[in-house]
Amino acid sequence: MVVQYAGRATIDGLPTYRFVERVPAGSSGTQKLPGSLVGLHGQPTVTLDEYYQAANTYWVDPVTGAVVDTSEDQKITLRDSSGVQRLVLFQGDLR
């Protein structure tokens, strides 16, 4: 993960620096669930890998260094052993 400077912006009249952090998809555990829930009807239960990824934006006051606003665009999915996405658990932009 790297946070990069992405220019200037104005938030509610306050000039800010904008930084963007990209979190690539990475395994964060496993989930056990009914196979029918993810289209695997021949299997009563399956264990799938859980993946988390995000693109986070931070607006920072250039004088104080305080974060004045954030946006976190997150996605959490379940994938099978071949890497095929089987289910989206969460996808949203948190502000």
Side-chain angles (χ1 to χ4, degrees), residues 13-28:
L14 177 70
T16 64
Y17 293 146
R18 186 171 155 260
F19 295 90
V20 176
E21 171 189 36
R22 303 218 183 273
V23 181
S27 180
S28 60

Side-chain angles (χ1 to χ4, degrees), residues 40-63:
L40 301 172
H41 299 286
Q43 301 177 33
T45 61
V46 294
T47 300
L48 300 176
D49 292 320
E50 183 176 312
Y51 280 79
Y52 171 85
Q53 67 188 66
N56 303 317
T57 304
Y58 308 96
W59 290 269
V60 177
D61 181 323
V63 176

Side-chain angles (χ1 to χ4, degrees), residues 28-34 37-38 48-53 74-79 85-92:
S28 60
T30 60
Q31 294 284 333
K32 188 174 183 177
L33 59 152
L37 184 63
V38 292
L48 300 176
D49 292 320
E50 183 176 312
Y51 280 79
Y52 171 85
Q53 67 188 66
Q74 300 181 357
K75 185 175 182 181
I76 303 171
T77 60
L78 296 180
R79 300 181 186 182
Q85 179 179 296
R86 292 290 180 170
L87 186 64
V88 176
L89 296 177
F90 176 80
Q91 184 170 5

